[in-house]
Amino acid sequence: KMAAPPAPGAPGAWGGVRRRCQRLLYWVPVLFISSILCWSYYAYVTQLCLLTMTNIGEKVVCLVAYHIFFMLFVWSYWKTIFTLPMNPSKEFHLSYSDKESLEREPRGESQQEVLRRAAKDLPIYTRTMSGAIRYCDRCHLVKPDRCHHCSVCDKCILKMDHHCPWVNNCVGFSNYKFFLLFLAYSLLYCLFIAATDLQYFIKFWTNGLPDTQAKFHIMFLFFAAAMFSVSLSSLFGYHCWLVSKNKSTLEVFRAPIFRHRTDKNGFSLGFSKNLRQVFGDEKKYWLLPVFSSLGDGCSFPTCLVNQDPEQASTPGGLNSTSKNENHLFPAKPLRDSQSHLLTDTPSWSETAAKAEKGKVGMSNPALTMENET
């Protein structure tokens, strides 16, 4: 017998209405950017190029260049908004029996034993602040390295950078390249408008041109382009620095914690490899909003020294012999390689856990489960 839908005044019905209203409100920043973009197109193409410019050659060059920047801007923005964030694959989700065991066991060492068994064949190299295995109690999964739970999307996002309200989406492994290109092309778009509009802005400001309807559009267009250029240049510069260091925004505020120590540069492989990890090996795709990032988003090579028997190999399946030697990035995505799950690499084995327990005693914080967002 099917359950009847909640009555209009029931709490469940109001909760559904509230969630729908929230989802609609989340699109307000996107609609604001879209409306500014539509107005700038009208102001530049119609009011500036077609009605104000008198030189045919200048008019053609400006229109062609403008539409190239406009197309790249809209394309990258669209891809950033509508590319679904990637979530951890099924290997990281707890089985039904593991979920039951986790719910039955009291918090502490027994729960960590369950999580260690679930994660023993997974490429998990980072831990929580207390040294516990990173586990999401909302998604019921062992978190891959660099994965975090987004409170807005209510999902675990692979290589999550941040949740951006201007695109109403999480920026992570699947769309980080698109987000970078969106910042780059929006900055170029604003700089191009400001540069080509400057002389006409000065002419209108000094009354060098007749006072027409175009005056408002051209003057305000320059102010808007200049203002957005300043804010976008700082944001784009910051993310370029993140790419060069192979960091995410979350990792800047909370450095990744590996099994042996915290290392803020643990995922940095050097500038060239860091760049290729985001943009890929084929340079012809670098400037286009098409997915070309390396890897599968679940495992990442590191530059750390293997300091204990547990860490016999890195997520990339490559060994390192010195701290200054970086791992070579896999020639193909880790999802397609044989080293995806690293089944030949022990991880958090029971013997190692017992040895650590003997060193620090029963109060070892690594044996307590910590849920982390």
Side-chain angles (χ1 to χ4, degrees), residues 104-125:
R104 287 197 307 266
E105 299 292 348
R107 297 184 66 88
E109 179 181 354
S110 53
Q111 285 191 331
Q112 275 296 296
E113 290 293 334
V114 175
L115 293 178
R116 280 197 292 272
R117 288 197 302 269
K120 64 185 176 69
D121 293 329
L122 297 175
I124 303 296
Y125 289 85

Side-chain angles (χ1 to χ4, degrees), residues 67-99:
H67 281 90
I68 292 174
F69 288 125
F70 180 83
M71 180 193 68
L72 292 171
F73 178 13
V74 172
W75 187 8
S76 58
Y77 189 46
W78 178 275
K79 293 283 285 186
T80 307
I81 295 173
F82 294 105
T83 299
L84 294 177
M86 286 181 62
N87 311 120
S89 55
K90 62 181 181 180
E91 295 95 338
F92 293 88
H93 289 259
L94 294 186
S95 64
Y96 180 76
S97 59
D98 286 336
K99 289 180 186 176

Side-chain angles (χ1 to χ4, degrees), residues 23-45:
R23 284 196 292 268
L24 288 175
L25 287 175
Y26 289 151
W27 286 102
V28 170
V30 176
L31 293 175
F32 173 75
I33 295 294
S34 300
S35 61
I36 291 291
L37 188 62
C38 292
W39 167 79
S40 67
Y41 185 90
Y42 167 76
Y44 191 89
V45 173

